[in-house]
């Protein structure tokens, strides 16, 4: 099954696809590294973002979307736009993939009991995709 890890930052959704097949992890070929919401944040812009995201999920036959949860308040609080993006992903219509939010505590405990099988630097992904990669890995481990 392919899991799409997502990190929401500002008006961007950084994505990383991770496949687990017969106990073996692989990174499916995906040219898209992030999807962005247009600056106006209108209803049409949100619908377009949602359509683009759903299209990417369908194209790669993603079974689950794992989003790193952002804090609603405090020092590490997420911005208002990132919560809009989260809602548009959660409200995708049809037979879209399951969407799960991963709290930081779950990510930390999962990585403690199931460390990453390889160092991130050896994956060939861009540095800004590391959090999305970890979210995808934790999404697999907690399924």
């Amino acid at each position: 099954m392919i899991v799409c890890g997502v990190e929401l930052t500002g008006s961007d959704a950084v994505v990383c696809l991770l496949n687990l097949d017969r106990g073996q992890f692989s990174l499916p070929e995906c040219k898209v590294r992030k999807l962005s919401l247009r600056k106006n944040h209108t209803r049409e812009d949100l619908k377009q973002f949602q359509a683009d995201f759903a299209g990417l999920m369908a194209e790669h036959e993603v079974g689950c979307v794992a989003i790193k949860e952002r804090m609603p308040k405090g020092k590490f609080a997420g911005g208002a736009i990132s919560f809009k993006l989260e809602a548009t992903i959660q409200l995708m219509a049809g037979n879209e993939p399951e969407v799960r939010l991963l709290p930081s505590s779950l990510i930390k405990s999962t990585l403690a009991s199931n460390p990453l099988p390889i160092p991130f630097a050896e994956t060939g992904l861009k540095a800004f995709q590391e959090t999305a990669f970890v979210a995808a890995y934790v999404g697999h481990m907690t399924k």
Side-chain angles (χ1 to χ4, degrees), residues 106-117:
L106 176 65
I107 293 172
K108 192 177 286 187
S109 66
T110 301
L111 289 175
S113 60
N114 299 297
L116 290 171

Side-chain angles (χ1 to χ4, degrees), residues 19 40 48 77 86 129:
N19 187 27
N40 296 334
Q48 184 61 53
E86 179 185 304
Q129 290 180 285

Side-chain angles (χ1 to χ4, degrees), residues 62-109:
V62 172
C64 178
V65 177
I67 302 173
K68 181 181 185 270
E69 187 176 60
R70 288 134 3 274
M71 303 302 296
K73 57 185 174 179
K75 183 177 178 182
F76 300 106
I81 304 305
S82 67
F83 287 104
K84 283 185 178 184
L85 294 179
E86 179 185 304
T88 58
I89 293 170
Q90 287 180 316
L91 296 173
M92 288 188 296
N95 294 327
E96 301 301 329
E98 169 193 4
V99 178
R100 300 178 52 217
L101 294 178
L102 304 175
S104 295
S105 58
L106 176 65
I107 293 172
K108 192 177 286 187
S109 66

Side-chain angles (χ1 to χ4, degrees), residues 16-57:
C16 176
L17 302 179
L18 185 63
N19 187 27
L20 178 60
D21 186 26
R22 296 184 205 138
Q24 197 71 10
F25 285 104
S26 64
L27 294 166
E29 189 66 37
C30 182
K31 293 179 182 176
V32 177
R33 294 186 177 115
K34 69 179 176 178
L35 295 166
S36 298
L37 177 66
R38 292 190 188 123
K39 298 295 179 192
N40 296 334
H41 310 144
T42 64
R43 180 174 190 253
E44 289 73 31
D45 293 341
L46 288 167
K47 288 175 94 174
Q48 184 61 53
F49 172 84
Q50 186 180 53
D52 293 345
F53 193 90
L56 180 66
M57 298 302 102

